[in-house]
Amino acid sequence: RKEVEQDPGPFNVPEGATVAFNCTYSNSASQSFFWYRQDCRKEPKLLMSVYSSGNEDGRFTAQLNRASQYISLLIRDSKLSDSATYLCVVTPNTGGFKTIFGAGTRLFVKA
Amino acid sequence: ETGVTQSPTHLIKTRGQQVTLRCSSQSGHNTVSWYQQALGQGPQFIFQYYREEENGRGNFPPRFSGLQFPNYSSELNVNALELDDSALYLCASSLGASGGNIQYFGAGTRLSVL
């Protein structure tokens, strides 16, 4: 089992749609959680951190469920510019630094 | 822009050669992490340097080594290159080595091994 698993995608949605991505992680002692966005042939960029209480940034909402070991990202009112790969990132508590990225979920938003 | 710069942007090497990739961290950041990203995959953590010391390492063989300098810039060295080393190599800088710190990525070095 992979340490971090994401919906395989791709997701193809029309503009204005609501889309949700899920990510599960295997290490229950994981400490920090993020969603990054990566455009084609570009570097990953932080979209948002994920907090236990859930957090929202405009059209984006992230949730963390520690009991079930998954995090989610909800995008409302999708825009063409949201087309990208969304990477789930988990930092387990291993004593030394380690970051685990999921394989990413590709989103295509079409007009 | 993140303020993290990597060089070179592209590199072609042959199997068995050695390569050095460079990364300048964002001003004020004392931590650099290196990642390998194969096509269609997420970035894989190679190692992290914090204040010139290796602070964590992923599942990469010893032929992947690194350095961090007093100005916090960093190098990734790969010896005895293999075809599977062909990938995008990303560095990320952060303020501190905690897992909660946000990482800012450079644009990467695309390495092709023939």
Side-chain angles (χ1 to χ4, degrees):
Chain A
R1 182 186 172 189
K2 291 184 180 177
E3 292 180 273
V4 175
E5 294 199 65
Q6 294 188 237
D7 292 331
F11 284 50
N12 291 283
V13 303
E15 270 187 298
T18 296
V19 60
F21 303 135
N22 291 315
C23 169
T24 58
Y25 59 94
S26 60
N27 187 329
S28 61
S30 294
Q31 291 181 312
S32 303
F33 308 87
F34 306 91
W35 284 101
Y36 276 74
R37 168 199 168 123
Q38 186 172 28
D39 292 300
C40 190
R41 301 185 73 82
K42 298 282 191 179
E43 71 275 20
K45 292 183 180 177
L46 178 71
L47 181 64
M48 56 198 306
S49 303
V50 187
Y51 303 117
S52 295
S53 55
N55 47 302
E56 187 173 308
D57 182 3
R59 299 182 293 108
F60 299 85
T61 301
Q63 297 279 349
L64 167 63
N65 185 320
R66 285 189 183 272
S68 300
Q69 294 178 214
Y70 80 80
I71 68 174
S72 63
L73 176 68
L74 184 75
I75 305 176
R76 291 181 299 278
D77 189 23
S78 299
K79 311 290 184 192
L80 294 175
S81 57
D82 293 334
S83 297
T85 296
Y86 290 84
L87 298 160
C88 168
V89 183
V90 174
T91 301
N93 182 7
T94 61
F97 181 87
K98 184 178 179 183
T99 298
I100 304 170
F101 279 72
T105 301
R106 191 80 185 270
L107 171 66
F108 295 97
V109 181
K110 54 186 186 296
Chain B
E1 296 300 324
T2 63
V4 179
T5 58
Q6 292 187 243
S7 62
T9 54
H10 296 83
L11 204 50
I12 299 174
K13 291 285 190 179
T14 56
R15 198 169 44 180
Q17 285 189 311
Q18 178 266 342
V19 69
T20 297
L21 310 181
R22 296 179 174 83
C23 173
S24 294
S25 57
Q26 188 180 111
S27 177
H29 285 185
N30 55 16
T31 305
V32 172
S33 302
W34 284 93
Y35 296 85
Q36 179 194 69
Q37 187 173 24
L39 204 58
Q41 300 296 316
Q44 300 294 308
F45 174 67
I46 302 175
F47 42 58
Q48 183 192 68
Y49 278 84
Y50 171 62
R51 292 186 175 180
E52 302 179 59
E53 298 286 333
E54 186 179 290
N55 184 52
R57 190 177 182 95
N59 298 325
F60 281 81
R63 60 189 185 84
F64 285 79
S65 63
L67 277 175
Q68 188 178 33
F69 300 99
N71 67 354
Y72 302 131
S73 65
S74 178
E75 285 182 357
L76 164 65
N77 298 290
V78 187
N79 293 321
L81 284 166
E82 300 177 1
L83 298 179
D84 284 349
D85 295 334
S86 295
L88 178 67
Y89 287 85
L90 295 160
C91 80
S93 77
S94 57
L95 182 58
S98 164
N101 291 117
I102 295 168
Q103 296 182 74
Y104 296 88
F105 284 83
T109 294
R110 196 164 297 277
L111 173 65
S112 298
V113 182
L114 306 177

